[in-house]
Amino acid sequence: MNYRHAFHAGNHADVLKHIVQLALIDSFKRKDSPFFVLDTHAGRGRYLLASEESRKTLEAEDGVMKLMSQPKLPEVVERYLKAVQADNPVGAMITYPGSPLLTAQAMRPQDRLAACELQPEEAAALKKLFAGDARVGVYEGDGYEKIRALVPPKANGAKIGRGLVLIDPPYEGQDAEYIRILAALKETFERWPQATCAVWFPIKQRRTILHFLRKATALPYKSAMTIELLVRPDESPLRLNGSGMLILNAPFQFDRVIGPALPALKQHLGEPGASTRLDWLKTAE
Ligand code: SAM
């Protein structure tokens, strides 16, 4: 099968990241004109959850699966759960869709996705997944370096004005990753000032991300907001205690769309001491 087990797929970080991603994409769909999504760190597109030997450590059980068992949730959360369920047989959770698959599911015929992935094996799986979907381009290589070629976006020779750059790196090189993200954002805005950018960031200890957020606010965009979910206090530097999304040039009133999700995520995914935040770092005049 063209899948790979992924013990952390569908965990609290994926839940936050993918709820925000789908809400951003839905906001673009309010207009008929096409939009473009550049997914710089796309992964393989679909992950296998169910298997007898992996059940004990499956992080989805404390993430997306916990939400699946709730009778009533805010609209943006329900919408995300429907998208995850759509990748599965009725009543079962076997696979978890990654960011490019969620985008492709949500896109219309006129919209376009460029999905970049560095690891050849992951990129090959992604190519296989989207073979035959002319709306999707899969690019093997460094997603940061592809910005120059893919932005500003065009389809059939015509410019696409609206869209999203999604940056979801593995953060293996901690501080070095933040430097690359800031450079990528700078380049994106120089080439495509009206782009919306969404950057996922891990939170082990919250104070360690403040320097990055301060640097990011110096970039030339109209608005910046952060949305965070800490599933436990950020005391331990060794655990992924939570994560956040930095959104630059968010759609109008995006806080009202995403805000209702946060208390529900804290209630259902949080341990004692869990918390959420939604902060505007810069507002559009
Ligand atoms: N965005 C995906 C999702 O939500 O389903 C998950 C992405 S995963 C956190 C990070 C991925 O980035 C991995 O598949 C890794 O191989 C890939 N990667 C690492 N460095 C990269 C780079 N410089 N350019 C493109 N992909 C990269």
Side-chain angles (χ1 to χ4, degrees):
M1 227 193 293
N2 186 31
Y3 305 146
R4 167 180 288 178
H5 292 121
F7 302 120
H8 52 264
N11 68 2
H12 61 85
D14 273 359
V15 169
L16 179 78
K17 171 191 311 185
H18 294 149
I19 287 176
V20 171
Q21 176 194 337
L22 287 174
L24 287 169
I25 288 173
D26 286 350
S27 74
F28 291 125
K29 286 164 72 178
R30 285 194 218 117
K31 288 187 191 157
D32 287 336
S33 59
F35 63 82
F36 169 77
V37 177
L38 169 58
D39 194 334
T40 58
H41 296 69
R44 64 191 288 119
R46 179 180 277 143
Y47 301 91
L48 185 57
L49 291 178
S51 96
E52 281 311 312
E53 64 280 17
S54 73
R55 287 209 66 77
K56 278 197 188 82
T57 48
L58 215 56
E59 290 187 26
E61 284 177 0
D62 290 329
V64 63
M65 287 180 182
K66 261 198 182 156
L67 295 175
M68 291 276 184
S69 58
Q70 301 307 321
K72 185 147 178 52
L73 290 162
E75 208 178 312
V76 272
V77 182
E78 294 277 7
R79 188 263 181 268
Y80 154 75
L81 293 177
K82 271 195 198 123
V84 175
Q85 197 66 69
D87 202 46
N88 283 283
V90 176
M93 271 291 287
I94 297 168
T95 58
Y96 186 82
S99 56
L101 190 53
L102 290 169
T103 299
Q105 265 180 9
M107 270 162 47
R108 307 160 302 179
Q110 66 268 41
D111 306 321
R112 295 288 177 272
L113 165 65
C116 307
E117 172 55 47
L118 186 63
Q119 294 298 331
E121 215 185 293
E122 305 292 282
L126 203 54
K127 279 185 187 152
K128 202 166 165 193
L129 187 62
F130 291 119
D133 189 339
R135 306 168 309 160
V136 182
V138 176
Y139 301 85
E140 183 183 329
D142 187 319
Y144 296 120
E145 283 174 13
K146 299 280 178 205
I147 290 173
R148 201 162 309 138
L150 297 169
V151 166
K154 286 195 188 114
N156 307 323
K159 273 195 181 163
I160 303 183
R162 309 178 306 132
L164 174 66
V165 177
L166 206 55
I167 303 181
D168 178 22
Y171 289 91
E172 277 153 6
Q174 286 285 351
D175 289 350
E177 197 79 68
Y178 287 118
I179 291 167
R180 292 208 76 190
I181 294 169
L182 289 166
L185 292 172
K186 184 168 178 283
E187 181 163 32
T188 300
F189 288 120
E190 277 166 10
R191 305 178 70 84
W192 190 20
Q194 67 273 42
T196 297
C197 293
V199 182
W200 179 82
F201 55 87
I203 306 178
K204 292 178 178 169
Q205 289 181 305
R206 193 169 184 283
R207 61 184 164 75
T208 61
I209 58 163
L210 297 178
H211 180 68
F212 164 64
L213 295 180
R214 250 195 313 275
K215 286 251 178 191
T217 47
L219 294 165
Y221 46 74
K222 292 203 185 98
S223 70
M225 71 190 295
T226 50
I227 298 161
E228 297 172 14
L229 167 66
L230 273 161
V231 292
R232 62 185 80 87
D234 60 340
E235 292 158 351
S236 156
L238 301 174
R239 294 183 77 183
L240 185 66
N241 296 312
S243 69
M245 291 288 269
L246 168 68
I247 304 175
L248 309 175
N249 290 344
F252 183 58
Q253 295 188 333
F254 190 65
D255 50 343
R256 293 198 188 176
V257 175
I258 207 71
L262 297 181
L265 296 183
K266 177 179 155 185
Q267 183 189 346
H268 299 300
L269 306 187
E271 298 171 13
S275 61
T276 63
R277 296 175 75 117
L278 191 159
D279 293 326
W280 283 104
L281 307 180
K282 184 173 175 182
T283 47
E285 279 124 39

